[in-house]
Amino acid sequence: MKHLISIEDLSLEEALRLLDVAEAMAATQSRAVKKLPTLRGKTVINLFFEDSTRTRLSFEAAAKRLSADVINFSAKGSSVSKGESLKDTALTLQAMGADAVVVRHRSSGAAHRLAHAGWIKLPVLNAGDGTHQHPTQALLDAMTLRRHYTNEGRPAEPGSTLEGAHVVIVGDILHSRVARSNVDLMSMLGARVTLVAPPTLMPVGVEGWPCDVTYDFDEALAQGPDAVIMLRVQRERMSAAGGGYFPSPAEYHHSYALDIDRFERLNKRAVIMHPGPLNRGLEICAQAADSSRSVIVEQVNNGVSVRMAALYLLLASKESIHE
Ligand code: CP
């Protein structure tokens, strides 16, 4: 069985194949009729145990644009509130004739468990598990950056990498599955990645990751990065753990926000990225988020193409992601 659980499961060739197919999918989305017949007769289930706007909607749009039927499952209002387990929920969905499951879960490892526990025989696509991985977010980030770094924002040439790019990822690294997936993918594609966070929001063991680490955002900016990825301060995970990660929102903003002063110090070719949702005024100012340097809306747009590519390669292509 083939799945998309973690960037660590992908080789460079597989990651590039996903990005190149995503570009091919994107090219179909400027047509008057966006729908392709590729997954006609297939059913994709979106299984969301945690809130989502972008990921859930774009997986739904991606499946529908490939002509699959889509069933959306949200834990809120389901029998999960009566204590039903992940296993029994999954068995129920398989019994309804699903061909693939997209899963978001608050627990790290939930997608891997669903894929490999032997409960179901369906491809599993990880839409974010706890603080572990968010592979399609990293792929859409890489697709967006690859376009800007290699081709001035136009579709990237097949096989192009991020060799020589410098990417700075700033904020709540500790709770960020996006940061973990992006470090794995961008470094695999040849980029140098620098993580910036206060010491309390830097994960234990980060020195073993394939990236640089600093607590000083201004020092990282002075190196003239090609992209700055601002991360959301995940207040819901902080309050669940008792809080106390930084003295106050104002102090966090002073040291770690992309504020107007830092925005004006970005080098001219740098793009501003954010996976969303944004805490405007906390980790990023409106002037930066809404500027011509911001590619945040492009990231959302590319998310549909990346998820079309993943669904295509897992459900329709003779050469799956893992050949
Ligand atoms: N980037 C991201 O995962 O956003 P959502 O939580 O809205 O899906």
Side-chain angles (χ1 to χ4, degrees):
M1 189 58 67
K2 315 292 187 231
H3 312 280
L4 180 55
I5 305 296
S6 169
I7 294 296
E8 286 179 320
D9 299 337
L10 298 175
S11 66
L12 174 60
E13 292 68 31
E14 290 163 344
L16 287 172
R17 179 72 182 136
L18 268 158
L19 293 172
D20 293 345
V21 173
E23 286 290 4
M25 293 296 176
T28 69
Q29 297 306 295
S30 52
R31 298 178 188 161
V33 178
K34 295 183 171 64
K35 207 156 182 155
L36 305 173
T38 318
L39 296 185
R40 195 156 46 203
K42 304 276 190 194
T43 299
V44 175
I45 293 200
N46 280 334
L47 188 56
F48 277 70
F49 292 87
E50 227 186 27
D51 294 343
S52 170
T53 297
R54 280 147 287 271
T55 312
R56 188 175 60 78
L57 290 178
S58 65
F59 263 116
E60 181 173 356
K64 286 181 171 171
R65 288 189 192 169
L66 293 170
S67 300
D69 294 319
V70 179
I71 298 174
N72 287 312
F73 170 95
S74 169
K76 279 185 195 138
S78 76
S79 288
V80 170
S81 62
K82 300 174 195 163
E84 187 159 41
S85 66
L86 178 62
K87 175 180 178 178
D88 288 326
T89 304
L91 289 173
T92 303
L93 302 178
Q94 181 167 257
M96 288 180 183
D99 293 289
V101 178
V102 175
V103 62
R104 168 169 288 193
H105 203 285
R106 64 189 165 282
S107 300
S108 299
H112 183 273
R113 184 106 176 105
L114 196 58
H116 298 293
W119 304 331
I120 57 171
K121 292 184 170 57
L122 302 172
V124 174
L125 296 97
N126 184 4
D129 63 322
T131 60
H132 174 226
Q133 281 276 322
H134 194 348
T136 56
Q137 178 69 46
L139 285 159
L140 74 89
D141 289 344
M143 178 178 177
T144 307
L145 181 54
R146 197 170 77 141
R147 284 181 166 199
H148 283 273
Y149 183 65
T150 65
N151 207 14
E152 298 177 348
R154 293 186 293 272
E157 292 298 323
S160 44
T161 67
L162 296 176
E163 200 63 50
H166 183 203
V167 181
V168 171
I169 304 178
V170 188
D172 184 358
I173 310 287
L174 180 67
H175 299 109
S176 180
R177 53 199 177 206
V178 174
R180 284 165 178 78
S181 289
N182 264 323
V183 167
D184 291 343
L185 183 58
M186 303 236 175
S187 62
M188 189 199 308
L189 292 171
R192 178 162 78 92
V193 181
T194 302
L195 297 181
V196 181
T200 49
L201 290 174
M202 201 63 94
V204 172
V206 72
E207 57 280 355
W209 298 11
C211 59
D212 302 328
V213 173
T214 177
Y215 306 127
D216 187 339
F217 190 7
D218 296 309
E219 178 205 24
L221 271 190
Q223 295 174 28
D226 300 288
V228 177
I229 303 179
M230 301 305 300
L231 296 176
R232 182 173 71 89
V233 174
Q234 299 195 33
R235 287 184 275 204
E236 73 283 9
R237 293 192 208 276
M238 292 180 189
S239 48
Y245 290 92
F246 45 81
S248 67
E251 289 212 29
Y252 181 88
H253 181 83
H254 175 74
S255 298
Y256 293 102
L258 185 58
D259 58 12
I260 295 175
D261 174 53
R262 293 192 179 101
F263 170 58
E264 287 174 351
R265 278 189 273 133
L266 282 177
N267 85 52
K268 294 293 166 257
R269 67 178 182 282
V271 291
I272 298 166
M273 303 172 72
H274 192 304
L278 283 68
N279 292 309
R280 284 173 182 258
L282 180 53
E283 70 261 1
I284 189 166
C285 68
Q287 289 87 342
D290 300 331
S291 73
S292 59
R293 320 275 291 280
S294 167
V295 295
I296 296 169
V297 175
E298 284 177 48
Q299 288 173 264
V300 176
N301 189 253
N302 290 336
V304 177
S305 304
V306 157
R307 286 157 184 143
M308 287 174 77
L311 288 168
Y312 167 75
L313 288 170
L314 285 173
L315 282 173
S317 172
K318 290 189 180 66
E319 42 142 356
S320 70
I321 293 174
H322 306 282
E323 287 178 285

